[in-house]
Amino acid sequence: MALHHDLLEVARDLLEKESPTQATFRRSVSTAYYALFHLLIHEACSNWARPEHRDGLARAFEHKQMSTASERQRAKYKDASENSTEKHLNKVALSFVQLQQKRELADYDYSIELSLDQARQTLRQAEAAFRSWELVRNEQCAQDYLFSLLIREK
């Protein structure tokens, strides 16, 4: 199984613990974000013709650039019709931005307490983004999105 699927499973497993703690909730939220992060990197690198270069290419992706590109994508397709390719891509991009924000809070903001419900909602959002991605991954707009995650717009 690929890393992104493993990470999603880890996020799920953390919330099924008998006595979850604040650390459990925070780790699950963070891991759910990283699952989507690595899904998109995996998909982009899979397009590279030379398999021996894919690991190096994967290291070139940056959180900030991916968030900026996702925000642009989200804005571009915010009014797309329901169940369209563009709407599913919008869900992926919006989820990336929101999950990254939630990860930042979970990892660095100790002034807040996360609840089990918040952690579960974050996991559901990541799972929904995975499902939406599966529906659009071969579409041109999805491939353009993957390209934008790595290449800065001038």
Side-chain angles (χ1 to χ4, degrees):
M1 193 179 288
L3 175 62
H4 49 277
H5 288 295
D6 289 344
L7 288 169
L8 200 57
E9 188 64 34
V10 167
R12 216 178 277 120
D13 289 347
L14 285 166
L15 298 180
E16 293 174 2
K17 289 190 172 290
E18 193 169 311
S19 298
T21 64
Q22 195 58 208
T24 307
F25 303 151
R26 288 173 182 275
R27 180 55 32 214
S28 179
V29 166
S30 185
T31 303
Y33 162 73
Y34 278 108
L36 183 57
F37 174 80
H38 286 289
L39 167 67
L40 296 173
I41 291 172
H42 170 80
E43 290 287 307
C45 292
S46 293
N47 290 331
W48 193 258
R50 299 253 187 213
E52 66 272 16
H53 293 155
R54 291 178 185 161
D55 289 340
L57 179 62
R59 288 189 296 279
F61 286 84
E62 298 174 350
H63 295 274
K64 183 166 178 38
Q65 170 57 29
M66 291 176 73
S67 182
T68 300
S70 293
E71 189 59 50
R72 276 195 309 269
Q73 195 71 37
R74 186 203 61 73
K76 182 177 179 180
Y77 293 128
K78 68 180 169 128
D79 296 325
S81 61
E82 213 49 48
N83 289 321
S84 66
T85 297
E86 293 80 8
K87 189 60 145 188
H88 283 289
L89 187 55
N90 179 44
K91 288 177 186 176
V92 173
L94 176 60
S95 291
F96 185 87
V97 170
Q98 291 177 341
L99 290 173
Q100 187 181 65
Q101 292 167 346
K102 290 176 183 182
R103 184 207 50 102
E104 290 276 328
L105 290 174
D107 286 351
Y108 304 113
D109 188 347
Y110 302 125
S111 69
I112 63 163
E113 289 227 359
L114 295 178
S115 68
L116 177 59
D117 285 342
Q118 288 171 312
R120 284 183 176 150
Q121 188 279 331
T122 300
L123 176 61
R124 284 192 299 272
Q125 184 176 15
E127 291 169 336
F130 268 58
R131 288 189 301 275
S132 283
W133 180 256
E134 195 57 38
L135 294 171
V136 301
R137 64 191 295 264
N138 294 317
E139 300 295 332
Q140 185 62 47
C141 62
Q143 294 301 307
D144 293 344
Y145 170 58
L146 291 175
F147 183 77
S148 76
L149 296 175
L150 183 61
I151 306 301
R152 287 182 183 87
E153 198 173 85
K154 295 200 179 207

